[in-house]
Amino acid sequence: ITPEEAKFKLVHVKHVTQGLKGVPFCVTHDGRTIRYPDPLIKVNDSVKVDLDTGKIIDFIKFEAGQLATVVRGRNTGRIGTVVSRERHLGGFDIVHLQDANGHKFATRIANTIIIGKGNKPSVSLPKGKGIKLSILEETAIRHEKAAPKA
């Protein structure tokens, strides 16, 4: 993490409503309550929060074509571009994602956080760039590292 990146945090908006005396606020996945958010911020968007002041610096809309990471469920740690969103009234909305290798996968909308506009991430990505390898690919990489160098 760069020093510049350590000054902010990306958070997932869970709830947007009005409080006492009509004061609008949003609640994020980590329990922050932010008063007077931008009126364009809706549920499932991501917000860049300044850690010193607690104010919103920027926000990223949840829509197709944005870069997202999966934070819960079977696909935890995977990063991909949002392809589509299935709405299920009375149930869980499903998000379809596609990773950099072209593999498609799906997860619940609550399990994802948008981390970038288009293909440009707002935060640094982990070593594997969020791509899930098959067991055979992982084994081949492990054998290459363990093989003695001649």
Side-chain angles (χ1 to χ4, degrees):
I1 294 179
T2 63
E4 181 181 312
E5 200 174 316
K7 294 179 183 174
F8 69 86
K9 181 177 182 178
L10 276 179
V11 293
H12 181 81
V13 176
K14 289 286 189 188
H15 190 70
V16 179
T17 191
Q18 286 189 349
L20 294 175
K21 300 182 183 175
V23 175
F25 68 93
C26 67
V27 179
T28 63
H29 80 280
D30 61 347
R32 295 174 195 267
T33 301
I34 303 170
R35 293 170 45 124
Y36 298 105
D38 189 309
L40 298 175
I41 296 174
K42 303 294 181 207
V43 175
N44 297 320
D45 293 348
S46 286
V47 174
K48 191 186 281 192
V49 176
D50 183 8
L51 293 176
D52 295 332
T53 62
K55 304 278 186 201
I56 295 174
I57 302 170
D58 191 18
F59 68 95
I60 307 168
K61 298 294 290 176
F62 187 95
E63 54 194 22
Q66 306 289 43
L67 196 64
T69 184
V70 181
V71 293
R72 281 187 297 277
R74 186 170 187 263
N75 293 309
T76 300
R78 293 183 80 175
I79 296 173
T81 305
V82 176
V83 176
S84 64
R85 173 183 176 175
E86 282 181 31
R87 293 183 184 263
H88 296 277
L89 298 177
F92 297 104
D93 289 358
I94 304 295
V95 179
H96 294 272
L97 302 150
Q98 184 173 6
D99 67 10
N101 287 346
H103 297 116
K104 293 182 179 178
F105 57 99
T107 187
R108 290 180 177 179
I109 197 166
N111 296 347
T112 60
I113 292 180
I114 301 296
I115 59 168
K117 296 179 182 177
N119 284 334
K120 185 177 181 300
S122 297
V123 293
S124 58
L125 298 180
K127 183 172 55 176
K129 303 291 186 216
I131 296 173
K132 183 177 183 182
L133 300 175
S134 70
I135 295 172
L136 294 175
E137 291 169 333
E138 286 179 8
T139 306
I141 291 171
R142 205 172 311 118
H143 286 302
E144 286 174 12
K145 288 181 182 176
K149 295 186 170 103

